[in-house]
Amino acid sequence: MIPDITIIWEWIGFAIRWTHVITAIAWIGSSFYFVALDLGLLKVPGLPKGAHGEEWQVHGGGFYHINKYLVAPERMPEHLTWFKWESYATWLSGAALLMVTYWAGAELFLIDPAKMELAQWQAILISGGSLAIGWLIYDTLCKSKLGETPTVLMLLLFVALVIMGWGYDQIFTGRAALLHLGAFTATIMTANVFLVIMPNQRIVVADLKAGRAPDPKYGKIAKLRSTHNNYLTLPVIFLMLSNHYPLAFASEYNWLIAALVFLMGVTIRHYFNTMHARKGDLWWTWAVTAILFIAIMALSSLGLRQVPLEEAEARALTPTEQRFAAAEGFDDVTNYVMGRCSMCHAREPFYEGIYHAPKGVFLETPGDIARAAREIYLQAGVTDAMPPANVSFMEDAERDAIIRWYRAARGTEVAAN
């Protein structure tokens, strides 16, 4: 028997996703903490020379007295903690997850032949290239005179993100479109840390060590990029979670849903930023957020995109799908899946309480089943995750048949390569 690379690959993906979530929690947590700290600083008498403000905090049974220096202290401290690896590790693990899931599984998760006929290498090139090009455009805008008008710059950034969301949806699957928009935004955020904020801080540190007075402009530049990161964080989290919710990614208006999510990120962060700055509680922002969310729910219902059953039955299979359809046992597996799974995984589900196919996965035609072969193998073959609670009474012999069919198709694939 060939090594079960599918199970190994699934665990690799799980490990990377786990790492990504852990590092993202660390990055977002420290980012939100320092934004709140910065906004809550008090200017009181008796501050050390060069200090901009102070704050007293209590946590874990102890008290903390924090001073912030707007440019830098007179003397470089012996112990200096840098906050950077949280950001780098989040982006690197996210990039690895993009490769493992969307690049390696391009035919299933990335490429949508109904939108654009792409070879796997072309789709991957667009995927990776768009992230780099997006950063270059954003960085150029920030370094232009627009950097002196932060509000106008933020509006242009919002327009650019909406255009990118629409563009991704013209090329990739809906799932990949929103995920890539999140990766596009996260790339900007991490590049801000790696290419702007950290280098500027190193310049300040070098000036202090050399006995020079640091130039305040470096702190001003870093603050602009940090502000962008602050307002982009919540939308990025939504976009990274969106691939689990077809009502978000499978909608005809998924790019518009993403645009409204970016606005929600602004309203939510504006409330907390204002509160932390002790400028009052702007409760109206929550009303605006609720209205935006209701609009998102309405758009998802209006624009739920799915290929009609007749069109799905007539669709030509891809080479990989043909390999699974031609493998021994496919006819039996098709009967099992249609009998045990298609009542929920249908374009018009008829199982009570199910109104949309779970995760947007359809299992009504031989082409549907060949396309979802890997998920069927993992969810209903080697595990009993599906059907949930085995409500349709799938038998062990049927699960064994799924395993034999999938491994037979994979053996054919390995032999062909």
Side-chain angles (χ1 to χ4, degrees), residues 333-400:
V333 168
T334 298
N335 291 331
Y336 299 151
V337 171
M338 287 186 178
R340 308 296 188 185
C341 310
S342 64
M343 68 283 291
C344 296
H345 289 279
R347 287 151 183 87
E348 294 183 7
F350 54 89
Y351 192 89
E352 185 178 358
I354 301 293
Y355 304 103
H356 302 287
K359 304 298 182 184
V361 176
F362 302 122
L363 300 173
E364 291 183 286
T365 72
D368 290 340
I369 293 169
R371 182 176 179 81
R374 179 177 177 273
E375 296 307 314
I376 294 171
Y377 172 67
L378 291 172
Q379 301 280 344
V382 294
T383 74
D384 60 359
M386 299 298 280
N390 203 20
V391 293
S392 59
F393 306 105
M394 179 173 279
E395 298 177 0
D396 289 343
E398 295 170 342
R399 297 186 190 277
D400 291 340

Side-chain angles (χ1 to χ4, degrees), residues 9-326:
W9 198 251
E10 186 75 2
W11 275 108
I12 290 173
F14 192 175
I16 296 172
R17 189 181 299 275
W18 189 23
T19 303
H20 187 53
V21 171
I22 292 169
T23 54
I25 290 171
W27 182 20
I28 294 167
S30 62
S31 174
F32 281 3
Y33 169 74
F34 278 106
V35 169
L37 172 64
D38 188 62
L39 292 171
L41 291 169
L42 295 174
K43 296 180 180 180
V44 297
L47 287 173
K49 183 180 179 181
H52 175 65
E54 72 168 11
E55 183 162 346
W56 284 87
Q57 299 181 353
V58 59
H59 180 73
F63 292 86
Y64 297 80
H65 184 204
I66 303 166
N67 289 324
K68 177 185 177 180
Y69 293 82
L70 198 58
V71 180
E74 290 183 308
R75 181 180 60 84
M76 175 57 57
E78 294 182 7
H79 303 288
L80 187 62
T81 301
W82 297 76
F83 289 85
K84 56 183 181 178
W85 289 110
E86 300 93 334
S87 173
Y88 302 165
T90 300
W91 189 88
L92 289 171
S93 58
L97 196 57
L98 177 69
M99 295 174 189
V100 166
T101 304
Y102 287 88
W103 289 9
E107 189 175 274
L108 178 61
F109 296 117
L110 185 59
I111 299 171
D112 187 341
K115 296 179 180 178
M116 187 174 291
E117 290 283 353
L118 294 171
Q120 185 170 343
W121 68 269
Q122 292 173 319
I124 292 173
L125 185 63
I126 294 172
S127 169
S130 65
L131 305 184
I133 293 172
W135 158 252
L136 293 174
I137 294 173
Y138 163 79
D139 187 53
T140 300
L141 289 174
C142 288
K143 290 178 178 177
S144 71
K145 291 185 177 181
L146 289 169
E148 300 172 5
T149 54
T151 302
V152 175
L153 182 59
M154 280 290 287
L155 288 173
L156 283 176
L157 176 58
F158 172 71
V159 171
L161 290 169
V162 173
I163 292 173
M164 284 303 301
W166 177 85
Y168 278 133
D169 189 49
Q170 305 309 302
I171 300 172
F172 297 143
T173 64
R175 185 195 304 263
L178 291 195
L179 190 285
H180 275 74
L181 183 58
F184 177 90
T185 309
T187 298
I188 288 175
M189 294 170 65
T190 296
N192 275 338
V193 176
F194 182 65
L195 298 175
V196 179
I197 296 173
M198 290 305 302
N200 284 8
Q201 289 179 338
R202 291 191 185 99
I203 291 172
V204 171
V205 170
D207 284 341
L208 281 173
K209 288 181 176 179
R212 298 187 296 266
D215 192 331
K217 74 175 184 180
Y218 295 111
K220 182 180 178 182
I221 294 171
K223 183 66 179 292
L224 175 67
R225 305 299 183 103
S226 181
T227 300
H228 290 171
N229 283 7
N230 178 36
Y231 281 101
L232 292 174
T233 299
L234 295 181
V236 166
I237 296 173
F238 177 95
L239 294 169
M240 293 307 177
L241 293 174
S242 67
N243 64 95
H244 299 286
Y245 296 92
L247 284 174
F249 71 74
S251 169
E252 182 181 352
Y253 305 111
N254 56 15
W255 62 275
L256 190 52
I257 287 173
L260 296 181
V261 168
F262 278 108
L263 294 180
M264 287 176 61
V266 171
T267 56
I268 294 171
R269 288 309 302 159
H270 184 57
Y271 170 82
F272 283 103
N273 290 343
T274 304
M275 181 186 69
H276 291 144
R278 300 183 177 90
K279 294 181 179 180
D281 293 331
L282 303 182
W283 293 108
W284 62 266
T285 58
W286 291 104
V288 174
T289 303
I291 292 171
L292 289 170
F293 192 68
I294 291 170
I296 286 172
M297 290 192 289
L299 283 171
S300 71
S301 300
L302 289 174
L304 195 61
R305 178 193 295 140
Q306 63 184 38
V307 176
L309 179 59
E310 297 77 12
E311 187 176 333
E313 290 175 330
R315 178 180 67 87
L317 302 187
T318 66
T320 299
E321 291 169 353
Q322 291 174 8
R323 196 155 43 238
F324 281 103

